[in-house]
Amino acid sequence: MRNRLLHILSGVLLLSLFDLHGQELKPRIAGMEHDSTYMALLHKEYLLSRQLDSLEGATFEARQRFREEPQQRDEHTATILSLESQSMALQSEKRTLDNRLKTLEHDWLLKHWEQPTASQPDEEKEENRNYEAEPQKRYLTANACFRGELPASDYALLCQMQEQERDAAQCIEQYAENYALLLEKQQQHLLATEQGEADALYDQMDSLLMANNTLDSRLRELWEPIFDHKSYAYAYLLDRLNCDLLLESQIERLNEAQREADAEEGEFASDALVDYFIEKRALVSCEMEVASACQLFSARDSLQQEADYLASVEFRLPRISPERRHLLDYASIEFPKKGSYTTYTIPACTVYETGTIYRIRLMDSRYRQQANIFRGVEPLYLLQEGGRYIYFTGGFASLTEARLGCEQLTAKGFKMPVVVRWVDGKREEVSAEESDTTFRIEISGTDLLSDEVRELIREAAPGREISRMGSTFRIGGLPDPTTAEDLARKIRLKEGALTVKVVEEN
């Protein structure tokens, strides 16, 4: 899966700024090597890239240690989050620096653009529009017909947009890497058996999602002006060459691509990624037609390779909305032949901040009790609270299981064991009249629950996990039908297309 997702960038050609053997710094536009300010900024960008590479390597090593050294996961988690935070800060600094470089490049192109000489009137330029004698270039916009027909300022901006496509490609590459890592972390999170490990993985997924949200915004910021100006430049050229029918069909094709992208907004992981590939495919198709019209066969061959690559990319990536898992330590009641506890080795009763767990209270005393009075029952827990010693056993997911545990204890001679329940860290005693029946909500009619519905469920039923069976989403363990029906009604109001029903659980 990861290799397939990273294929998003495999066909995007990124021009190297440096000779990697000699580390010779080269300008992105020939002729700017004499601009000391520009070269200083370019050098700083190179150093930032090196720092980002080092951070990426350190983060990879920290993640490996996280997997290999479970006893030190808290420490490794802090390290990973720190490294990711540093990386995001450097990426922001690099983007700001790159914008300054682009401004200098744009100004330089305008300043050094060759204007027509006074001895060559516009009429002569209009007549001399045969560019067949000019050598052909593989990059479409580098060919003479663009330089000759577009106004100087528009052609300079078109060259800038061509450079800006490299930044868009880098955004896509990083997004794809983050998404592939998100899928890995999501699978690890689902298989985690310890709360600390699950929490660390959830935090890592949250950081990756935030990073991808930033990349999504950055890609949109980069791509929109590229699409707009390239569309304008091709339309201008076709109009100058009197290709009216081709111009009309291209305008409709590009408009249709924008409509298609708008229709898919909010359906997948990245709106900007969907916009980019839908509109880029249409734009490359138009570029191939422009190349044919201008008989630029070398450029057309190059564009055909790009079109084949774009057609192979899976860019409609499913949205990932991780839910924090609450791994409560459930335990049934046992009576082993040899006990595990002494009076002073009874473990402390864990109180979970989130989730619901049932235990059975054995004794509430002003004094610490001898372990042997509890008839060898395991597990045994001690909670010291308000100067009192409270002893519990078991850990159950449902009231039914807890009451069966009480029957088991009564048969062993315990007097009046009491079921207690913790909900998000708060303890309450369960009355004998409370029903064992719980309820669940089943949601169908969608392949993916929206963030709005998930947030509604989190607020109305904290601690309840959203599970999935086939095409149906479930929220279980709701204590009464009133609570379940109220939540179901809110979900229906939020998204009327969903089918929502309440089901009684056994």
Side-chain angles (χ1 to χ4, degrees):
M1 171 65 79
R2 182 169 188 170
N3 290 338
R4 180 160 58 85
L5 289 167
L6 291 179
H7 179 57
I8 286 178
L9 251 290
S10 64
V12 177
L13 300 177
L14 300 177
L15 301 178
S16 175
L17 299 179
F18 309 106
D19 177 354
L20 297 180
H21 297 288
Q23 294 298 315
E24 179 185 355
L25 190 64
K26 296 181 180 179
R28 302 192 297 201
I29 295 178
M32 293 194 71
E33 60 270 17
H34 304 298
D35 187 327
S36 58
T37 301
Y38 174 82
M39 294 304 291
L41 291 174
L42 200 62
H43 180 67
K44 185 176 180 181
E45 184 191 47
Y46 168 68
L47 294 178
L48 283 174
S49 298
R50 292 285 300 273
Q51 286 180 272
L52 284 167
D53 289 343
S54 297
L55 281 172
E56 182 179 354
T59 304
F60 177 79
E61 292 176 5
R63 286 171 177 152
Q64 276 191 317
R65 290 195 296 271
F66 176 87
R67 290 191 291 268
E68 296 168 0
E69 301 173 3
Q71 70 279 9
Q72 294 180 300
R73 278 178 173 162
D74 289 345
E75 178 184 341
H76 295 326
T77 298
T79 300
I80 291 168
L81 292 176
S82 175
L83 289 170
E84 289 176 343
S85 176
Q86 293 177 56
S87 179
M88 291 176 67
L90 286 179
Q91 287 171 0
S92 176
E93 184 179 352
K94 187 172 181 292
R95 286 194 296 271
T96 301
L97 186 61
D98 198 52
N99 287 335
R100 293 179 62 190
L101 285 168
K102 284 188 176 66
T103 300
L104 290 174
E105 289 166 350
H106 180 251
D107 293 344
W108 190 91
L109 286 170
L110 290 177
K111 182 177 179 181
H112 293 81
W113 195 257
E114 294 183 3
Q115 300 294 335
T117 60
S119 61
Q120 183 183 22
D122 290 342
E123 291 78 7
E124 181 180 347
K125 182 180 178 182
E126 284 287 340
E127 294 174 1
N128 184 23
R129 298 170 66 173
N130 184 1
Y131 302 106
E132 293 180 4
E134 296 281 346
Q136 290 195 14
K137 305 291 181 65
R138 282 183 62 81
Y139 291 104
L140 177 65
T141 56
N143 284 282
C145 58
F146 283 90
R147 295 195 307 272
E149 298 298 336
L150 292 176
S153 60
D154 285 342
Y155 185 67
L157 185 55
L158 181 61
C159 292
Q160 182 182 342
M161 293 299 101
Q162 195 71 33
E163 291 290 324
Q164 192 164 306
E165 286 222 47
R166 296 190 310 161
D167 297 332
Q170 289 172 344
C171 277
I172 295 169
E173 178 184 27
Q174 187 61 58
Y175 191 100
E177 290 180 355
N178 288 351
Y179 188 87
L181 188 56
L182 259 171
L183 289 179
E184 290 182 10
K185 297 298 181 186
Q186 183 182 50
Q187 186 64 21
Q188 294 170 13
H189 183 246
L190 292 173
L191 297 176
T193 57
E194 297 179 1
Q195 188 67 51
E197 179 187 10
D199 288 343
L201 288 165
Y202 178 86
D203 290 339
Q204 290 171 37
M205 287 191 291
D206 192 50
S207 295
L208 287 167
L209 283 170
M210 287 192 294
N212 269 6
N213 287 339
T214 301
L215 289 168
D216 183 274
S217 299
R218 177 59 177 162
L219 178 58
R220 185 181 296 280
E221 176 186 318
L222 290 168
W223 174 246
E224 286 182 351
I226 293 172
F227 180 80
D228 290 343
H229 190 72
K230 281 196 165 187
S231 301
Y232 162 78
Y234 303 146
Y236 187 98
L237 179 64
L238 292 174
D239 182 59
R240 293 275 294 173
L241 299 178
N242 298 316
C243 298
D244 296 338
L245 291 177
L246 182 56
L247 172 59
E248 184 178 344
S249 69
Q250 286 203 358
I251 290 174
E252 177 54 34
R253 183 182 309 159
L254 295 176
N255 286 340
E256 176 58 31
Q258 289 186 302
R259 288 192 291 269
E260 181 183 350
D262 290 343
E264 297 194 11
E265 186 170 357
E267 295 295 320
F268 301 99
S270 169
D271 289 334
L273 203 66
V274 170
D275 290 354
Y276 173 88
F277 279 100
I278 290 177
E279 294 173 357
K280 178 71 172 173
R281 286 176 174 180
L283 197 60
V284 169
S285 177
C286 292
E287 288 172 334
M288 291 173 65
E289 291 179 344
V290 170
S292 295
C294 298
Q295 298 186 354
L296 302 172
F297 304 116
S298 179
R300 180 180 169 84
D301 291 344
S302 177
L303 288 164
Q304 182 62 60
Q305 294 177 5
E306 187 172 10
D308 292 342
Y309 153 70
L310 291 169
S312 71
V313 174
E314 295 182 24
F315 58 89
R316 292 178 173 88
L317 306 177
R319 295 167 68 181
I320 299 176
S321 301
E323 295 286 339
R324 188 181 290 276
R325 293 182 64 199
H326 307 300
L327 301 179
L328 308 184
D329 186 16
Y330 298 120
S332 58
I333 294 173
E334 297 179 353
F335 291 89
K337 292 182 178 179
K338 185 177 180 180
S340 304
Y341 311 118
T342 65
T343 301
Y344 291 95
T345 63
I346 299 173
C349 182
T350 302
V351 177
Y352 300 100
E353 293 183 3
T354 54
T356 300
I357 189 169
Y358 294 84
R359 299 193 193 278
I360 300 173
R361 188 178 68 218
L362 302 176
M363 181 177 291
D364 183 341
S365 173
R366 292 177 57 189
Y367 306 102
R368 187 186 293 272
Q369 300 296 313
Q370 298 290 329
N372 57 15
I373 74 168
F374 295 106
R375 305 173 188 273
V377 66
E378 293 188 7
L380 190 60
Y381 306 110
L382 172 61
L383 179 65
Q384 292 181 253
E385 183 180 83
R388 301 188 70 81
Y389 296 86
I390 310 173
Y391 293 86
F392 300 91
T393 186
F396 308 96
S398 69
L399 178 56
T400 298
E401 293 174 304
R403 285 184 169 153
L404 288 173
C406 280
E407 294 177 8
Q408 188 179 358
L409 289 168
T410 301
K412 286 287 185 177
F414 285 85
K415 295 182 178 179
M416 298 181 65
V418 177
V419 176
V420 295
R421 173 174 53 217
W422 274 269
V423 179
D424 296 338
K426 296 181 180 180
R427 186 174 84 247
E428 58 186 9
E429 187 173 312
V430 179
S431 68
E433 292 76 24
E434 185 170 325
S435 172
D436 294 350
T437 303
T438 57
F439 298 83
R440 72 170 179 268
I441 292 174
E442 295 185 351
I443 305 172
S444 56
T446 182
D447 292 329
L448 183 70
L449 287 182
S450 68
D451 292 339
E452 292 78 8
V453 169
R454 288 180 178 275
E455 183 62 28
L456 173 63
I457 294 169
R458 279 194 290 268
E459 292 178 357
R464 305 294 177 187
E465 292 190 14
I466 302 172
S467 60
R468 184 169 184 172
M469 181 171 291
S471 60
T472 302
F473 293 89
R474 295 181 168 190
I475 306 99
L478 299 171
D480 58 78
T482 302
T483 301
E485 289 290 355
D486 184 58
L487 177 54
R489 179 181 58 80
K490 290 178 180 177
I491 295 172
R492 294 188 194 101
L493 289 173
K494 178 65 69 174
E495 292 191 14
L498 298 177
T499 300
V500 186
K501 63 179 181 179
V502 175
V503 178
E504 183 176 309
E505 296 180 314
N506 295 325

